[in-house]
Amino acid sequence: MSEQSVEKNVLEIKDKSELMIDLAYSSLLYDNKTIAKEVYDLEDLIDTIYSDLQRETFEQVKNKTLSVDSALTILKLAQAGEEIADAAQEIADVQLRDVELHPIIKLSLRESDEVFTRVQVSADSILCGKTLGSLKLSSETGMQVIAMRHQNRWLYGPNKYTIIDAEDILFAKGPEDGEEHLTALANATSNEI
Amino acid sequence: MSEQSVEKNVLEIKDKSELMIDLAYSSLLYDNKTIAKEVYDLEDLIDTIYSDLQRETFEQVKNKTLSVDSALTILKLAQAGEEIADAAQEIADVQLRDVELHPIIKLSLRESDEVFTRVQVSADSILCGKTLGSLKLSSETGMQVIAMRHQNRWLYGPNKYTIIDAEDILFAKGPEDGEEHLTALANATSNEI
């Protein structure tokens, strides 16, 4: 493992752990056990990355390519990410254990600073066949797609190369007025724009 | 405390703990101890809210206005938020302890799925004198303002009523192309639009 993969791993723990929080709350709001299980799988993945990172920092300190101070900082950041992932798993656990979420709590979660939404892309939506990157969905609507369902396949944490297809279901989070915009786009045909 | 304040407190722990993660990473990226200290203050606040919430759920269970199952779920969610807040504090700790962050890690954090940015609002920017809500900054650019500095005053987690003034410094996070848009707005005069 090179120095580059140390950074890559720190970044992956950061991004994945934050995605896990969003997925966990989405699983609660939409009573979705598939998403909740993904949070568990991501937690396993983060444990593996964290173990690799621990070994690699020691190897690099031994080889004098990393200072002890830098190694400690890197592990501290990674450990914080690992703890965030654990907390996300506890949130997903509420969904998986079939505990009925108090309806008022569910309602209240929707009034969060950032709302979660789920929209289905209509067959003739202008989003169809385009990548998230080319649509600039996130910067144009403020909504970040955190998961997608394409027929029976799921995709978590899509990137700019991910293509949106007709009938896909998008799970996203963002500001309240972004939700309306995204829903409008998912239902808008090119004739309407 | 009413049932309503139970939900309000769960939501506040959720929102504040996530804000803390963003502030903590911002403090690292911009070597900013003021923001890092705010993360510590928010952690104290969350501890207080969590204690209040624990007492209130027991009171409500005693009064039979809340079921034991609901009480357990509420505390589980709040505890997860409290753990996220602890992890955020550990990240801020790296900044406060004067540990030099490995420059490559810092660079790598900027390549995260969501980037952090800091922009100063020019004296004649079209943003001046407007509220975040009326500007729809978050849904128009994808950038969420997490902290603001107005002269020597700081504001963390601004809301839709927060007014942007000339020379304010905005700390925001969002997609990469949103960063360019926000920077352009912060420097654009009405004549340029």
Side-chain angles (χ1 to χ4, degrees):
Chain A
M1 205 191 267
S2 67
E3 192 183 309
Q4 201 182 8
S5 58
V6 167
E7 306 133 36
K8 198 174 148 280
N9 283 343
V10 172
L11 192 58
E12 192 159 9
I13 291 176
K14 176 191 177 293
D15 285 341
K16 289 274 190 297
S17 61
E18 292 173 36
L19 174 65
M20 284 171 69
I21 298 178
D22 294 332
L23 291 175
Y25 283 119
S26 277
S27 78
L28 281 186
L29 283 166
Y30 297 109
D31 275 332
N32 190 309
K33 289 205 195 318
T34 309
I35 297 180
K37 279 179 195 148
E38 174 67 14
V39 175
Y40 266 69
D41 289 347
L42 284 172
E43 162 60 15
D44 286 345
L45 175 67
I46 282 188
D47 284 346
T48 306
I49 300 172
Y50 185 49
S51 296
D52 288 351
L53 189 63
Q54 281 179 308
R55 167 165 293 278
E56 178 61 13
T57 49
F58 276 111
E59 294 283 354
Q60 289 204 12
V61 166
K62 192 181 75 178
N63 297 337
K64 301 196 167 54
T65 53
L66 191 68
S67 73
V68 170
D69 278 350
S70 286
L72 287 169
T73 308
I74 287 166
L75 284 193
K76 198 173 162 96
L77 288 179
Q79 196 190 326
E82 208 273 329
E83 284 164 18
I84 291 168
D86 285 344
Q89 195 176 23
E90 283 173 40
I91 297 166
D93 206 41
V94 172
Q95 179 58 34
L96 287 178
R97 283 177 194 261
D98 255 326
V99 186
E100 183 56 43
L101 191 63
H102 198 291
I104 300 179
I105 293 290
K106 206 183 249 187
L107 212 66
S108 131
L109 281 178
R110 281 197 56 82
E111 282 159 23
S112 167
D113 287 348
E114 293 196 293
V115 301
F116 290 92
T117 193
R118 178 185 56 184
V119 296
Q120 182 156 26
V121 179
S122 69
D124 50 1
S125 160
I126 47 168
L127 302 180
C128 295
K130 303 208 181 90
T131 62
L132 287 176
S134 68
L135 288 165
K136 294 187 179 177
L137 214 54
S138 179
S139 57
E140 293 292 331
T141 66
M143 301 302 286
Q144 189 190 347
V145 179
I146 57 173
M148 292 172 66
R149 207 187 84 189
H150 174 74
Q151 292 167 359
N152 286 321
R153 282 190 299 108
W154 282 83
L155 180 69
Y156 302 95
N159 60 33
K160 58 183 170 185
Y161 306 111
T162 306
I163 294 173
I164 296 181
D165 285 313
E167 316 291 355
D168 280 358
I169 294 173
L170 312 180
F171 290 80
K173 68 148 193 177
E176 217 176 328
D177 44 0
E179 182 179 16
E180 292 160 28
H181 192 175
L182 179 64
T183 306
L185 288 174
N187 292 296
T189 63
S190 54
N191 295 335
E192 293 169 344
I193 296 293
Chain B
M1 204 192 271
S2 67
E3 193 183 310
Q4 201 183 11
S5 59
V6 168
E7 305 133 35
K8 198 173 147 282
N9 283 343
V10 172
L11 192 58
E12 190 158 10
I13 291 176
K14 176 192 178 291
D15 285 341
K16 288 274 190 295
S17 62
E18 292 174 35
L19 173 65
M20 284 170 70
I21 298 178
D22 293 333
L23 291 175
Y25 283 119
S26 277
S27 78
L28 280 187
L29 282 167
Y30 296 109
D31 276 330
N32 190 310
K33 289 203 195 318
T34 310
I35 298 180
K37 280 179 195 145
E38 172 68 14
V39 175
Y40 266 70
D41 289 347
L42 284 172
E43 162 61 15
D44 287 345
L45 175 66
I46 282 188
D47 284 346
T48 307
I49 300 171
Y50 185 50
S51 298
D52 289 351
L53 189 64
Q54 280 178 308
R55 167 164 294 279
E56 178 61 14
T57 49
F58 277 110
E59 294 284 355
Q60 289 204 13
V61 166
K62 191 180 75 178
N63 298 337
K64 300 197 169 52
T65 54
L66 190 67
S67 72
V68 170
D69 277 350
S70 285
L72 286 170
T73 307
I74 286 166
L75 283 193
K76 199 174 161 93
L77 287 179
Q79 196 189 326
E82 209 271 328
E83 284 165 19
I84 291 169
D86 285 344
Q89 195 175 24
E90 283 173 41
I91 297 167
D93 205 41
V94 172
Q95 179 59 35
L96 287 178
R97 282 177 194 262
D98 256 325
V99 186
E100 181 57 43
L101 190 63
H102 198 290
I104 299 179
I105 293 291
K106 205 182 247 184
L107 212 66
S108 133
L109 281 178
R110 282 198 54 83
E111 282 160 22
S112 167
D113 287 350
E114 294 195 294
V115 301
F116 290 92
T117 193
R118 178 184 56 183
V119 295
Q120 182 155 27
V121 178
S122 68
D124 50 0
S125 161
I126 48 169
L127 302 180
C128 295
K130 304 208 180 88
T131 62
L132 286 177
S134 68
L135 287 165
K136 295 188 180 176
L137 214 52
S138 181
S139 57
E140 294 292 332
T141 66
M143 301 303 288
Q144 188 190 347
V145 180
I146 55 174
M148 290 172 65
R149 207 187 85 188
H150 174 76
Q151 291 166 5
N152 286 323
R153 283 190 298 108
W154 283 84
L155 180 69
Y156 302 95
N159 60 33
K160 57 184 171 186
Y161 307 111
T162 306
I163 294 174
I164 296 180
D165 285 313
E167 315 291 353
D168 280 358
I169 294 172
L170 312 179
F171 290 79
K173 69 148 192 175
E176 217 177 328
D177 44 0
E179 182 179 16
E180 292 160 29
H181 192 174
L182 179 64
T183 306
L185 289 173
N187 291 297
T189 63
S190 54
N191 295 335
E192 294 168 342
I193 296 292

